[in-house]
Amino acid sequence: MLDYLQEDLDSMQKELHDWRDENKSLRHTLRAEQSNMASAIEPLTVQLKELDAAILEQQDRISIVKCSVLRNNDRIHSLLSAVSLGAD
């Protein structure tokens, strides 16, 4: 029985060693893939930042135009008020 126990322990030690080797290999592969992925998406990240900046710029332009429209609308109303008061 003790002979089998020693064989079982040896077998389990070998299996543990095999699993550790596989784990080490897979971690290395994972790091390589993560590095490749980071390199691949870097240009997309830069492009995304540029697009975000362009969106903010367009939103600023839209706000300026809206402000101008509101000012012009107020000016038109004041001119129409002056004309209707002058007509009375």
Side-chain angles (χ1 to χ4, degrees):
M1 181 115 174
L2 289 176
D3 290 336
Y4 294 123
L5 178 65
Q6 185 61 39
E7 286 178 17
D8 286 346
L9 283 175
D10 290 341
S11 175
M12 286 188 283
Q13 286 290 345
K14 183 187 177 309
E15 188 175 349
L16 176 63
H17 181 70
D18 290 344
W19 282 115
R20 284 184 176 162
D21 286 345
E22 184 173 350
N23 184 14
K24 184 178 179 181
S25 172
L26 291 174
R27 276 190 282 146
H28 177 71
T29 303
L30 176 62
R31 280 192 214 111
E33 287 297 322
Q34 286 174 331
S35 177
N36 290 341
M37 185 62 68
S39 298
I41 66 170
E42 186 176 345
L44 296 174
T45 303
V46 170
Q47 184 180 8
L48 178 62
K49 288 180 182 180
E50 290 172 355
L51 290 172
D52 284 341
I55 288 170
L56 289 175
E57 186 178 322
Q58 287 297 329
Q59 287 174 336
D60 288 343
R61 288 181 184 169
I62 290 169
S63 294
I64 290 169
V65 170
K66 282 182 178 181
C67 183
S68 177
V69 167
L70 289 173
R71 260 189 270 125
N72 287 340
N73 193 29
D74 288 344
R75 186 170 172 212
I76 289 170
H77 283 304
S78 67
L79 290 173
L80 288 174
S81 301
V83 168
S84 67
L85 287 176
D88 289 338

